[in-house]
Every structure is written in structure tokens, then in C-alpha cells.
Amino acid sequence: MPLIHDIVEGRRKNMKAKIVGIQELNFQTDRGENIVGNNLFILHEDENVTGLKASKVFVKEGVNLPKDVKLNDMIDISFNMKGKVEAIYKA
């Protein structure tokens, strides 16, 4: 089974990836906007890459990782129609 699959159902898209890093974020921009969430560093297949592609995905506060997810686990990431992460599940 490949590490990534794209399923388009309506306007939603899902991605399967391996989580290799988590960076917690909590800061204020120069414009006064509070940014709270996590950057997830993931590995996944990409049709334009030989091997695996390394990517960073921002996950806003309120979208939680499953409690039993740890580094090197496979996850399913669900994106909304604007390409923002709306849910994460353990694969």
C-alpha cells in the first residue's frame, strides 16, 4: 500500500503520511494575530518525487492528533475544500 493516497469526495481530500516531527507554535504576528497550533513534519509519496517527499503541514488549535499517535506512526490527514487540515486519524 502506498504511503499517500488522494481521495477526492466532493471537495475533501485525504492524505496518508508518516509523521516524523511535531513543532508546537504559540506566537503573535506583527499584525497582532495570535497563531496557535502545530507544524507536523511528514513523509509521503509524491508523483513528482523519486522516493518520499518531506512536507510541513500546519494544524490549527482545535484539530487534535489522536492521543496514541507517536513519531514514525502512519496518519490519515483530512483537508477541507480550502486545503486546511480538518481532522487527523491514526492509520
Side-chain angles (χ1 to χ4, degrees):
M1 183 160 131
L3 291 178
I4 184 173
H5 64 280
D6 290 339
I7 303 170
V8 178
E9 297 175 8
R11 297 177 180 212
R12 293 189 174 151
K13 185 176 181 179
N14 296 322
M15 172 191 285
K16 189 171 216 166
K18 182 177 187 177
I19 185 166
V20 294
I22 301 170
Q23 177 186 29
E24 294 182 16
L25 300 173
N26 187 353
F27 65 95
Q28 189 173 58
T29 67
D30 294 337
R31 293 162 51 190
E33 180 183 3
N34 289 325
I35 304 296
V36 180
N38 292 297
N39 279 330
L40 299 183
F41 297 90
I42 60 173
L43 298 176
H44 58 91
E45 287 186 352
D46 183 287
E47 64 185 31
N48 299 311
V49 175
T50 301
L52 298 175
K53 182 175 181 177
S55 297
K56 176 177 71 171
V57 178
F58 177 73
V59 180
K60 69 179 180 179
E61 184 178 41
V63 176
N64 298 314
L65 282 172
K67 295 191 185 301
D68 60 341
V69 168
K70 58 189 180 306
L71 294 182
N72 295 313
D73 280 349
M74 295 300 294
I75 57 174
D76 283 312
I77 306 170
S78 178
F79 298 90
N80 66 17
M81 63 185 203
K82 294 182 180 181
K84 299 192 185 278
V85 175
E86 64 179 8
I88 300 173
Y89 307 97
K90 187 169 181 177

